[in-house]
């Protein structure tokens, strides 16, 4: 089976960074080590350096960046990170490197692709232009347009900036309002859909191609028993049959191996691939539900929570309903809301793999779990937040799990 997908939170705070939580950013590392970055709040590139001791993210592996929405706490680190990845530096006005070209006129390729809602292209261009930034590498920005958004004619006519290899795609939704399979990266198809926030906001869905089934444990022993006869029959390396069964590119082939005793070894049934949903800030993600149903992993914000008896800042007049309404009025969610949405999606609803709900984007008053020790108040508060989501979802041990994301603490999603 392929290696796990790694979710590596680089920032889990909402609005204001704190000593224990940075602005929003989540790295998703595929089995090939290709790294997809979701949102890029201020300080993201510094987090990549600071958190190397717990899990190393290589700048050279960040080839795709996905922005959920244009609030500052989700994009203020985008251009600085881009400058680091593409070896940016201040340049002179007569810099010999021209738009779309590298040194000596060589055509550039896009080392980094950025995807996001309308406006992200202009944000990147204007920031690079006004800071006189020269990039050695190339990038391109693609915008996911909502159904009621027309292509920006002014943007089309606007001059690009140094390092932008071409104007990116304007990606329109289908008749159902979804951007289905707009990109494939290393056996994962990416789709997206609208979610409700205080500004236009997008959630992303990663769906993996089918995976090879688990090889029966007796296959290797059976092949070894008849190794000599199989070689004589023309199989130069009989045991390589097992490797072929695990190769994704051979999933469509009808692979069999006939043994001298009349036994025929066949391919185990394939297993559906992993499905991972990464949402931006939201007070109501229901619009994306049809696209996200059957997910194995849901990353959902939980900005505010009602924790009577646990959180000393709880107001006596507050109720679960009042806190939820206040969160929704600001475009956000509670852990209870996240748990209910996990239940709606059928997260962890089959026997293939455990369902995982990852909570993030916490209010600045919620410190990291171990901010004041293993038995401190922060640990109790984060435990209370987790239990709110568990109760709303209906957690079954071994089938469903809730994790409160922490900066620098990796989460594995096994195949």
């Amino acid at each position: 089976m392929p290696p796990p997908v790694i979710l590596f939170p680089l920032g889990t705070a909402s609005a204001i960074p704190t000593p224990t939580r940075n602005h929003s950013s989540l790295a998703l590392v595929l089995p090939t080590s290709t790294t997809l970055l979701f949102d890029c709040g201020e300080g993201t590139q510094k987090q990549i350096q600071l958190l190397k001791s717990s899990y190393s993210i290589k700048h050279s592996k960040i080839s795709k960046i996905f922005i959920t929405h244009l609030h500052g706490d989700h994009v203020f680190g985008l251009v600085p990170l881009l400058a680091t990845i593409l070896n940016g530096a201040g340049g002179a006005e007569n810099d010999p490197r021209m738009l779309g070209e590298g040194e000596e006129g060589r055509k550039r390729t896009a080392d980094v692709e950025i995807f996001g809602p309308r406006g992200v292209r202009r944000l990147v261009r204007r920031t690079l232009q006004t800071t006189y930034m020269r990039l050695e590498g190339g990038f391109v920005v693609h915008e996911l347009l909502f159904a009621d958004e027309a292509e920006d004619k002014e943007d089309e006519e606007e001059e690009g900036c140094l390092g932008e290899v071409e104007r990116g795609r304007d990606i329109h939704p289908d008749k159902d309002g979804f951007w289905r399979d707009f990109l494939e990266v290393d056996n994962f198809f990416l789709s997206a859909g609208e979610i409700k926030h205080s500004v236009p906001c997008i959630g992303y869905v990663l769906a993996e191609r089918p995976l090879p089934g688990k090889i029966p444990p007796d296959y290797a022993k059976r092949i070894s028993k008849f190794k000599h006869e199989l070689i004589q029959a023309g199989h130069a390396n009989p045991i390589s049959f097992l490797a072929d069964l695990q190769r994704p590119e051979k999933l469509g082939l009808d692979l069999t191996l006939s043994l001298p005793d009349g036994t025929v070894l066949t391919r185990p049934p394939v297993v559906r691939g992993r499905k991972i949903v990464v949402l931006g800030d939201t007070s109501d993600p229901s619009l994306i539900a049809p696209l996200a149903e059957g997910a194995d992993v849901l990353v959902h914000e939980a900005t505010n929570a009602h924790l009577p008896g646990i959180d000393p800042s709880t107001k006596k007049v507050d109720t679960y309903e009042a806190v939820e309404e206040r969160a929704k009025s600001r475009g956000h969610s509670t852990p209870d809301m996240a748990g209910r949405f996990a239940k709606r999606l059928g997260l962890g609803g089959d026997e293939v793999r455990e369902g995982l709900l990852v909570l993030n984007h916490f209010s600045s008053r919620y410190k990291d779990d171990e901010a004041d020790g293993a038995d401190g108040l922060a640990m109790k508060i984060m435990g209370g937040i987790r239990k709110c989501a568990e109760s709303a979802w209906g957690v079954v041990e071994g089938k469903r799990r809730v994790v409160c994301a922490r900066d620098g603490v990796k989460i594995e999603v096994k195949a």
Side-chain angles (χ1 to χ4, degrees):
M1 298 296 281
V5 170
I6 302 296
L7 301 181
F8 191 63
L10 295 167
T12 57
S14 69
I16 302 172
T18 71
T20 60
R21 297 189 191 277
N22 200 65
H23 267 160
S24 293
S25 186
L26 173 70
L28 194 152
V29 186
L30 301 180
T32 56
S33 295
T34 296
T35 301
L36 313 181
L37 195 68
F38 293 86
D39 286 332
C40 192
E42 179 185 355
T44 294
Q45 63 172 329
K46 188 173 182 180
Q47 287 290 88
I48 292 173
Q49 299 296 326
L50 288 175
L51 302 175
K52 273 188 175 180
S53 59
S54 54
Y55 187 77
S56 181
I57 298 291
K58 294 181 174 59
H59 287 115
S60 61
K61 293 293 185 179
I62 302 175
S63 61
K64 306 287 187 294
I65 301 175
F66 303 89
I67 301 300
T68 62
H69 64 293
L70 294 177
H71 274 150
D73 58 328
H74 293 255
V75 297
F76 280 162
L78 177 58
V79 176
L81 178 63
L82 194 64
T84 296
I85 296 173
L86 302 181
N87 197 20
E93 289 186 12
N94 61 349
D95 195 303
R97 296 168 294 180
M98 301 303 292
L99 175 64
E101 296 179 351
E103 298 293 346
E104 300 179 356
R106 288 191 297 271
K107 181 67 177 177
R108 293 184 178 186
T109 58
D111 302 290
V112 177
E113 290 186 90
I114 300 168
F115 297 82
R118 182 171 177 173
V120 67
R121 184 183 295 126
R122 188 170 295 180
L123 169 71
V124 174
R125 280 180 178 174
R126 294 285 173 83
T127 307
L128 289 170
Q129 289 166 346
T130 55
T131 56
Y132 304 99
M133 180 60 64
R134 293 335 193 218
L135 303 176
E136 289 189 6
F139 73 92
V140 64
V141 182
H142 309 287
E143 292 189 340
L144 282 68
L145 302 182
F146 290 90
D148 59 348
E149 289 181 330
E151 294 181 8
D152 190 340
K153 297 300 181 183
E154 183 180 341
D155 172 68
E156 289 182 7
E157 297 170 0
E158 184 181 69
E159 182 181 352
C161 60
L162 197 63
E164 186 178 16
V165 299
E166 61 184 2
R167 186 183 186 278
R169 293 185 289 154
D170 290 323
I171 306 173
H172 295 273
D174 61 20
K175 61 182 179 60
D176 298 319
F178 300 123
W179 299 275
R180 296 180 190 271
D181 299 339
F182 65 85
L183 179 70
E184 183 179 5
V185 184
D186 298 348
N187 294 317
F188 281 83
F189 288 99
L190 279 101
S191 300
E194 180 182 3
I195 56 178
K196 293 297 183 183
H197 184 40
S198 56
V199 299
C201 193
I202 295 169
Y204 294 94
V205 179
L206 295 87
E208 188 177 25
R209 287 182 181 273
L211 298 168
K214 187 176 181 180
I215 297 174
D218 64 333
Y219 270 27
K221 187 175 181 181
R222 286 170 178 260
I223 293 172
S224 297
K225 180 180 179 181
F226 297 106
K227 181 178 179 180
H228 181 69
E229 292 91 331
L230 289 168
I231 292 175
Q232 287 186 326
H235 299 282
N237 183 17
I239 204 70
S240 67
F241 173 72
L242 301 182
D244 288 341
L245 292 180
Q246 293 296 299
R247 298 185 193 281
E249 66 272 16
K250 294 192 175 185
L251 277 181
L253 303 179
D254 185 21
L255 298 181
T256 61
L257 181 64
S258 298
L259 303 181
D261 64 357
T263 302
V264 178
L265 304 185
T266 60
R267 176 190 298 283
V270 298
V271 178
R272 68 169 179 82
R274 289 160 283 195
K275 189 171 184 179
I276 301 171
V277 178
V278 180
L279 302 184
D281 294 4
T282 184
S283 58
D284 180 8
S286 59
L287 289 173
I288 204 174
L291 194 65
E293 286 176 349
D296 302 292
V297 180
L298 170 63
V299 181
H300 195 298
E301 68 131 289
T303 306
N304 302 107
H306 183 52
L307 303 170
I310 301 175
D311 184 359
S313 66
T314 301
K315 298 177 182 178
K316 292 182 179 180
V317 296
D318 270 344
T319 62
Y320 286 98
E321 293 77 14
V323 171
E324 181 171 316
E325 284 305 311
R326 188 158 59 242
K328 289 165 67 175
S329 72
R330 297 168 180 171
H332 292 294
S333 294
T334 67
D336 312 75
M337 293 166 65
R340 293 199 298 268
F341 191 60
K343 185 176 183 179
R344 174 174 176 174
L345 296 184
L347 198 70
D350 62 22
E351 301 300 320
V352 175
R353 56 183 65 87
E354 175 188 59
L356 175 64
L357 171 59
V358 179
L359 304 177
N360 70 351
H361 199 265
F362 302 109
S363 166
S364 58
R365 69 176 179 274
Y366 302 140
K367 300 176 182 178
D368 177 75
D369 302 47
E370 297 182 0
D372 51 5
D375 297 318
L377 178 61
M379 184 70 76
K380 292 182 175 64
I381 288 175
M382 296 313 299
I385 289 173
R386 186 182 66 254
K387 287 178 181 177
C388 286
E390 289 175 342
S391 298
W393 182 14
V395 166
V396 178
E397 188 174 352
K399 298 291 183 183
R400 304 174 184 176
R401 181 164 59 105
V402 177
V403 172
C404 292
R406 301 172 60 195
D407 291 19
V409 179
K410 72 176 183 178
I411 303 166
E412 292 190 355
V413 181
K414 296 181 180 178

